[in-house]
Every structure is written in structure tokens, then in C-alpha cells.
């Protein structure tokens, strides 16, 4: 996953499986959410404290399933921001086998900058814009 500057390992837990023995479709969203949160912490855009301070809200999610994930497979989630608008940003993800690179799924989410205390959207803060631009090379 050379196209990603940030990857996050996830553990496929027994409880994440569906009756067919592979990863439940809903868990893909959980895995990309976990990777997204760790991406924000890596860029020091959120300190892991109150969720009221996280600064973004999910507006849209799309997943393309390519291969099933089985219990015990080592999975990495690549995360990147591919576009920043005035109030929104597009994040892209690839879930892949950590050892052989097999792609299990790709995903895209749109996040909107959000002030949870005021209950409204806001402009992406300059600090966020600067850190993302520097990290991603946008």
C-alpha cells in the first residue's frame, strides 16, 4: 500500500464474523472508523479525549467489497485524504492483507468539519488544513 502514508493494523476478532464465517459487512465500517481515528491522532488533529472535540462528522460512506476477510487474517487499513473543500474532506481507504497485499475492500467517506458544542458545520480549521496538506502533499 505504497500510495498511503498512513496504515493502521486491525485484528479480525471472532465476534466480528457472520454466520458464513467471514467478516460481517458492517464491521468494515468499524475497521475504517478505527483507522480514521488513528489517522487523526497521528496527525495530532485529535488528542483522543472527548468525542465532543473530534471536529468532524461522517456525511457519506461507500464500500466496495473485493474479497472476504477470514478470522485471523492480518489486515492493514490504508487511510488518506484525497480532497479538502471548504467544510468537507474526502477520505479513501484500502483494507488489505498485511503480508501478501491482497485487497479485501476499498472505501471512501466524506467527513464534514463539525462543532459538536454548537451543533453545526464549520469551515475546516487552518491548523487541520496545514497539517493535512503537509502530510498528504496536497
Amino acid at each position: 500500500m505504497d500510495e498511503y502514508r498512513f496504515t493502521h493494523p486491525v485484528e479480525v476478532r471472532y465476534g466480528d464474523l457472520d454466520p458464513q464465517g467471514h467478516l460481517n459487512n458492517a464491521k468494515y465500517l468499524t475497521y475504517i472508523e478505527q483507522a480514521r481515528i488513528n489517522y487523526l491522532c497521528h496527525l495530532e488533529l485529535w488528542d483522543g479525549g472527548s468525542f465532543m472535540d473530534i471536529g468532524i462528522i461522517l456525511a457519506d460512506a461507500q464500500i466496495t467489497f473485493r474479497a472476504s476477510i477470514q478470522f485471523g487474517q492480518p489486515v492493514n487499513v490504508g487511510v488518506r485524504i484525497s480532497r479538502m473543500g471548504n467544510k468537507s474532506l474526502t477520505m479513501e481507504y484500502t483494507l488489505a492483507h498485511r503480508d501478501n497485499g491482497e485487497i479485501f475492500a476499498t472505501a471512501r467517506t466524506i467527513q464534514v468539519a463539525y462543532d459538536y458544542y454548537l451543533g453545526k458545520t464549520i469551515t475546516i480549521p487552518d491548523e487541520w488544513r496545514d497539517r493535512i496538506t503537509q502530510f498528504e502533499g496536497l
Side-chain angles (χ1 to χ4, degrees):
M1 287 197 288
D2 295 338
E3 65 274 19
Y4 291 93
R5 295 177 183 204
F6 180 84
T7 60
H8 179 71
V10 292
E11 177 185 0
V12 180
R13 301 170 302 174
Y14 175 79
D16 294 344
L17 306 178
D18 62 19
Q20 291 78 28
H22 54 72
L23 186 67
N24 181 287
N25 291 345
K27 294 299 180 179
Y28 287 76
L29 285 170
T30 301
Y31 288 7
I32 65 173
E33 177 184 57
Q34 189 66 29
R36 179 172 57 248
I37 295 302
N38 279 278
Y39 176 96
L40 295 176
C41 290
H42 179 76
L43 268 62
E44 299 180 356
L45 299 174
W46 184 57
D47 64 5
S50 171
F51 282 103
M52 295 293 287
D53 297 325
I54 201 162
I56 56 173
I57 194 166
L58 181 67
D60 186 58
Q62 176 186 345
I63 301 173
T64 301
F65 301 99
R66 297 180 59 183
S68 64
I69 297 175
Q70 307 295 319
F71 176 72
Q73 286 183 311
V75 177
N76 272 349
V77 181
V79 182
R80 67 178 170 213
I81 294 176
S82 59
R83 186 198 66 78
M84 275 193 294
N86 186 41
K87 291 185 172 187
S88 67
L89 46 90
T90 301
M91 300 184 82
E92 297 176 349
Y93 314 83
T94 295
L95 289 85
H97 193 288
R98 190 175 307 133
D99 298 333
N100 66 24
E102 176 186 12
I103 296 176
F104 299 119
T106 56
R108 179 189 58 83
T109 61
I110 297 176
Q111 311 296 134
V112 175
Y114 195 79
D115 185 317
Y116 284 89
Y117 295 102
L118 299 175
K120 66 178 190 174
T121 62
I122 58 172
T123 302
I124 296 172
D126 289 338
E127 176 186 8
W128 278 55
R129 192 171 298 282
D130 293 344
R131 286 190 188 186
I132 293 166
T133 299
Q134 181 179 6
F135 183 73
E136 295 289 359
L138 297 176

